Amino acid sequence: MPIQQPSNQINETNLDDVLQISNVFVNVSKGELAKSGDLQKAFGTTDVAEAVKEILKKGEVQVGEKERDHDLSALRKEIATLVAEKCVDPATQRPYPVGMIEKAMTEAGFSVKQNKTAKSQVSECIKLLQSDSNLPIQRARMRVRVTMTTADGKRLREKIIEGAEKVEDDETGQEEWEVIMLIDPSQFRVINEILQKECKGRGRIETMTFSATANT
């Protein structure tokens, strides 16, 4: 009973337009039709049309193997694209092509989870590539600006810059201290928590470039 449109758009008058075959199968891959006894037991009727309506109302659309493979392939490519956007080659600080990321995913044995979004699988994928593939890879660094009062800056400077990959600018004025630096994305939350705890609203962190890469 393959269907050609979503079940929520189906009504009793267009079943012939919706169904490719007006039969109920016990095993569609083997072409095994449901017998009258099967229909009576499952639907309380031997009327095929009534059984079909019940299936369309309450059943779930079965995705074919080709469609499932296509969906997984598309999801895999989406994950690889997100990884390519967030990561770089540590030696050149440049991003890898998506195709190279996909090859590394295969090499590392990364399994796409169809019931999860691509975004939710990126971190797991990156960790696996770092541990189980031959592709040197690291998260791209974020360029951030941190500002606070000069007094707070003198007190917190070392704590703020200790998580920096590279300090690009460090200026202390009469009233304000400002530092621009490259950090691993995981450090953003750490620095923000320091500001909230220690500065009481007098400090802030701004993202200047979400996927900044260090200049070599």
Side-chain angles (χ1 to χ4, degrees):
M1 195 197 79
I3 64 174
Q4 299 171 319
Q5 71 183 80
S7 58
N8 59 5
Q9 299 176 8
I10 295 168
N11 58 57
E12 295 184 6
T13 62
N14 67 352
L15 289 181
D16 288 339
D17 296 331
V18 172
L19 300 179
Q20 294 177 4
I21 302 172
S22 298
N23 281 313
V24 177
F25 291 85
V26 174
N27 189 319
V28 69
S29 62
K30 294 181 179 179
E32 185 179 345
L33 293 172
K35 298 176 182 178
S36 296
D38 297 324
L39 294 175
Q40 183 66 42
K41 184 177 180 180
F43 304 103
T45 179
T46 58
D47 188 322
V48 172
E50 290 302 316
V52 166
K53 291 174 187 176
E54 188 72 9
I55 293 171
L56 292 175
K57 287 178 183 177
K58 299 181 180 180
E60 295 180 359
V61 177
Q62 298 297 306
V63 179
E65 187 174 344
K66 288 184 178 179
E67 289 88 348
R68 188 181 297 108
D69 288 345
H70 179 270
D71 290 346
L72 280 174
S73 178
L75 184 58
R76 187 180 190 84
K77 192 169 192 68
E78 187 179 355
I79 294 169
T81 300
L82 291 172
V83 171
E85 290 174 355
K86 293 178 181 294
C87 295
V88 293
D89 178 344
T92 65
Q93 290 298 312
R94 295 183 180 279
Y96 285 111
V98 174
M100 193 172 291
I101 297 293
E102 287 186 282
K103 288 181 181 178
M105 288 165 64
T106 300
E107 179 187 7
F110 179 75
S111 298
V112 176
K113 297 176 179 63
Q114 196 169 18
N115 61 338
K116 291 187 176 182
T117 65
K119 187 176 180 180
S120 69
Q121 300 182 66
V122 169
S123 292
E124 179 188 348
C125 183
I126 293 172
K127 289 177 183 177
L128 193 66
L129 293 182
Q130 290 174 328
S131 63
D132 290 13
S133 80
N134 291 319
L135 187 72
I137 190 169
Q138 71 176 37
R139 282 184 175 272
R141 282 10 186 177
M142 296 173 65
R143 179 175 285 109
V144 297
R145 177 192 286 117
V146 179
T147 54
M148 63 185 68
T149 65
T150 299
D152 286 337
K154 290 178 179 178
R155 182 168 56 90
L156 300 172
R157 181 182 181 278
E158 293 304 317
K159 190 178 290 188
I160 294 294
I161 67 173
E162 70 179 2
E165 182 86 10
K166 179 182 180 183
V167 176
E168 295 187 331
D169 191 28
D170 185 345
E171 294 185 4
T172 302
Q174 289 186 343
E175 298 182 355
E176 189 175 71
W177 173 65
E178 176 184 286
V179 62
I180 296 174
M181 54 190 185
L182 297 179
I183 62 171
D184 185 279
S186 63
Q187 287 296 312
F188 187 92
R189 180 181 294 180
V190 175
I191 295 171
N192 194 45
E193 288 176 351
I194 293 172
L195 296 179
Q196 290 179 349
K197 181 180 178 182
E198 301 285 352
C199 295
K200 311 296 183 185
R202 298 186 302 271
R204 64 183 183 274
I205 180 171
E206 306 167 65
T207 302
M208 300 177 68
T209 311
F210 182 74
S211 299
T213 56
N215 295 319
T216 55

